[in-house]
Amino acid sequence: MKENTQAEWKGVVFVLLGALLFSAKAVVVKLTYRYEISAIGSLFFRMFFAFPFLVWMAWSAEKDTNKTTLTKRDYWNVLIMGVVGYYLASLFDFLGLKYISAGLERIILFIYPTLVVILSFFFLKKKIHTREVFSLILTYTGVFLAYGQDVQMGSAKDVSLGAFFILLSALTYAIYLMGSGSIIPRLGARKFTAWALIISSIVVFLHFLVFGKYEELIQPWSFYPLAFMLGTIHTVVPAALVSEGIKRVGSKTAAIVGSVGPMSTLFLAYWLLDEPITILHSIGTLFVLTGVFWISTAKKPKEVSV
């Protein structure tokens, strides 16, 4: 019993640290934009510094797990999920951060569980339950409150464009979650995540090779520690921590613990980027956290037609 409790507490700590580091990623990306660099340039540096660690992560996962016979379809699944779930989601995220605050970015990204529910309803014909309906209403009310606050503080056109890119990022990540559900139990979460990120890295490198500006590779020395942190502390480390944490406490507990992410981003953005924390931002964040929490912890209440 004591060992189980200790394992659960370790899992909670792993997920908490992972969520905090993942959420701080937006702030670090915004800091890189203080230099002369594009979204794809910043993303290139992130994956460049992450890549060696991802290779090691995949290699160690191959050693630690049982050999699983994969079909041709499985290989295609991993490839597509790597492109959709990490390359496209990251690209849209980095593009959006050019236009909106780190706080609003985290709020919009955090709605991806609600998008899974909506996509499942339209494409998998899964019913939406009463609790989920109220969760969706609460979540998107919170998003609109935070969005409206950012519009008042900046350009409506820029904020709308940035919010659209972040919504696409959340949507592609939701698609990734739905598409990867069948293969993760067979491959293992750590192994699948490592390979998906490796594939994403290769696509990012190719993207930069074709469309990037090579002069962006030469930056002031103060830029490179930021880029290294982005690729390691805010990409590889939290991916490993969350994966280990989920193994110990399960996905539902991990979702609850991970809800600290949006709030931590608001405070970090206030501290490091001078982004104001307003009442509407706080209320919007609270609505989103509550709505997503209800959806993430929902059981099977009475179904309703939508």
Side-chain angles (χ1 to χ4, degrees):
M1 181 68 71
K2 187 177 180 180
E3 289 181 359
N4 290 337
T5 303
Q6 287 180 343
E8 287 178 1
W9 273 110
K10 282 183 181 179
V12 169
V13 171
F14 286 161
V15 173
L16 179 61
L17 288 175
L20 292 174
L21 292 175
F22 262 138
S23 299
K25 178 261 303 174
V27 176
V28 180
V29 173
K30 295 288 281 187
L31 289 173
T32 67
Y33 286 161
R34 293 181 174 179
Y35 299 83
E36 293 294 326
I37 195 164
S38 62
I40 186 59
S42 183
L43 183 56
F44 170 84
F45 275 107
R46 178 199 190 192
M47 304 318 296
F48 175 80
F49 285 115
F51 193 74
F53 298 96
L54 294 174
V55 172
W56 174 82
M57 195 169 150
W59 176 76
S60 61
E62 290 282 354
K63 285 181 61 180
D64 295 341
T65 56
N66 295 326
K67 294 293 181 181
T68 304
T69 303
L70 299 180
T71 64
K72 190 176 181 180
R73 183 177 179 180
D74 290 332
Y75 285 112
W76 277 108
N77 195 357
V78 174
L79 177 64
I80 293 169
M81 290 302 103
V83 172
V84 172
Y86 285 110
Y87 163 68
L88 286 179
S90 296
L91 180 61
F92 289 139
D93 185 33
F94 276 56
L95 286 169
L97 281 167
K98 277 284 187 180
Y99 302 99
I100 65 173
S101 66
L104 180 58
E105 179 261 5
R106 185 50 45 181
I107 291 172
I108 298 175
L109 271 188
F110 198 68
I111 69 171
Y112 69 85
T114 70
L115 295 175
V116 171
V117 171
I118 294 170
L119 289 172
S120 298
F121 171 73
F122 282 109
F123 297 102
L124 301 180
K125 307 303 179 184
K126 289 187 177 180
K127 295 287 183 69
I128 294 182
H129 304 93
T130 306
R131 175 171 172 166
E132 291 169 334
V133 172
F134 288 114
S135 300
L136 291 172
I137 293 171
L138 192 62
T139 299
Y140 290 100
T141 299
V143 170
F144 280 117
L145 285 174
Y147 165 79
Q149 183 65 72
D150 267 42
V151 167
Q152 291 180 16
M153 296 163 53
S155 164
K157 181 180 178 181
D158 285 350
V159 173
S160 298
L161 181 61
F164 175 69
F165 278 130
I166 302 301
L167 183 60
L168 287 178
S169 177
L171 180 62
T172 49
Y173 188 67
I175 293 170
Y176 158 78
L177 289 178
M178 294 176 65
S180 60
S182 61
I183 194 170
I184 284 180
R186 297 175 56 216
L187 270 183
R190 191 159 65 104
K191 184 176 178 180
F192 177 82
T193 300
W195 278 110
L197 279 167
I198 286 172
I199 291 166
S200 169
S201 301
I202 293 170
V203 178
V204 168
F205 298 155
L206 292 173
H207 185 153
F208 186 81
L209 182 67
V210 176
F211 298 105
K213 298 177 181 178
Y214 294 109
E215 55 267 26
E216 289 184 346
L217 297 176
I218 308 301
Q219 296 288 340
W221 284 108
S222 55
F223 170 86
Y224 297 106
L226 277 177
F228 181 78
M229 285 174 55
L230 186 59
T232 55
I233 297 175
H234 301 292
T235 300
V236 177
V237 173
L241 285 173
V242 171
S243 178
E244 288 299 314
I246 289 175
K247 277 201 304 188
R248 288 170 168 80
V249 299
S251 57
K252 283 196 174 183
T253 302
I256 296 169
V257 176
S259 65
V260 302
M263 290 303 297
S264 69
T265 302
L266 284 179
F267 288 111
L268 272 176
Y270 170 78
W271 178 35
L272 297 173
L273 302 175
D274 295 322
E275 291 183 5
I277 300 177
T278 66
I279 293 177
L280 281 181
H281 267 139
S282 302
I283 295 174
T285 302
L286 181 61
F287 279 14
V288 170
L289 291 179
T290 305
V292 171
F293 172 79
W294 281 355
I295 275 189
S296 300
T297 58
K299 294 180 182 178
K300 295 259 184 180
K302 183 181 177 182
E303 295 178 347
V304 297
S305 298
V306 177

